[in-house]
Amino acid sequence: MTELPDWIPPGGGVRWTRVGELGWHALTLPMYLGDRVLSALGEAGGAVIQEDVEQRLTWLIEPDSAAVRHLHDHPEVTLAGDDDSYLFVPGMTRDHTVWWRVTPTPDRLITGAELLADAFAAVRPRTGGRP
């Protein structure tokens, strides 16, 4: 990929996007856990959307990945795919409410679902509640 896809707004707006229509699915975590996963992924992760009101982070992942299927029933994980879910995709210059916590680049957009699942497994609480 040599440039960013045209579904990412160039300015400060947002695009209300149906998950799955653009070739990716999404994995969302509450901020306290997402911050830990983000740290565990380091430079290996892709772009990340932060939602300030809901206090959550969202990664774009490849569709129908077997690596994250076991997380469907985890209470802190939201997986969205071809299920009529929607997601706000922020513009590249947006810096509040819904914005890119990790800015997408042509080489850093989708996060490998297996890497994300491994990072989640490394940091998730072993017992109920916040760690």
Side-chain angles (χ1 to χ4, degrees):
M1 184 185 318
T2 59
E3 59 186 52
L4 288 171
D6 61 2
W7 49 262
I8 298 176
V14 293
R15 177 181 175 179
W16 187 237
T17 304
R18 197 173 113 216
V19 176
E21 80 176 285
L22 299 171
W24 44 262
H25 286 177
L27 185 143
T28 302
L29 296 171
M31 190 80 72
Y32 81 92
L33 186 55
D35 283 342
R36 294 172 60 208
V37 169
L38 188 60
S39 179
L41 281 169
E43 293 298 313
V48 178
I49 297 170
Q50 179 168 325
E51 294 179 53
D52 294 334
V53 174
E54 297 289 329
Q55 292 290 297
R56 58 188 182 181
L57 297 178
T58 298
W59 286 260
L60 308 180
I61 60 173
E62 60 267 13
D64 301 315
S65 175
V68 295
R69 283 192 193 128
H70 69 285
L71 298 175
H72 271 286
D73 295 327
H74 195 285
E76 295 178 302
V77 176
T78 301
L79 287 168
D82 298 319
D83 57 1
D84 291 329
S85 299
Y86 282 82
L87 177 72
F88 280 116
V89 174
M92 291 300 293
T93 62
R94 190 168 179 87
D95 62 0
H96 63 283
T97 312
V98 177
W99 54 283
W100 292 105
R101 170 80 172 267
V102 176
T103 305
T105 66
D107 299 324
R108 190 174 189 180
L109 182 61
I110 304 295
T111 299
E114 189 169 319
L115 288 172
L116 192 52
D118 288 348
F120 176 78
V123 304
R124 77 170 188 245
R126 300 288 181 217
T127 59
R130 285 182 156 186

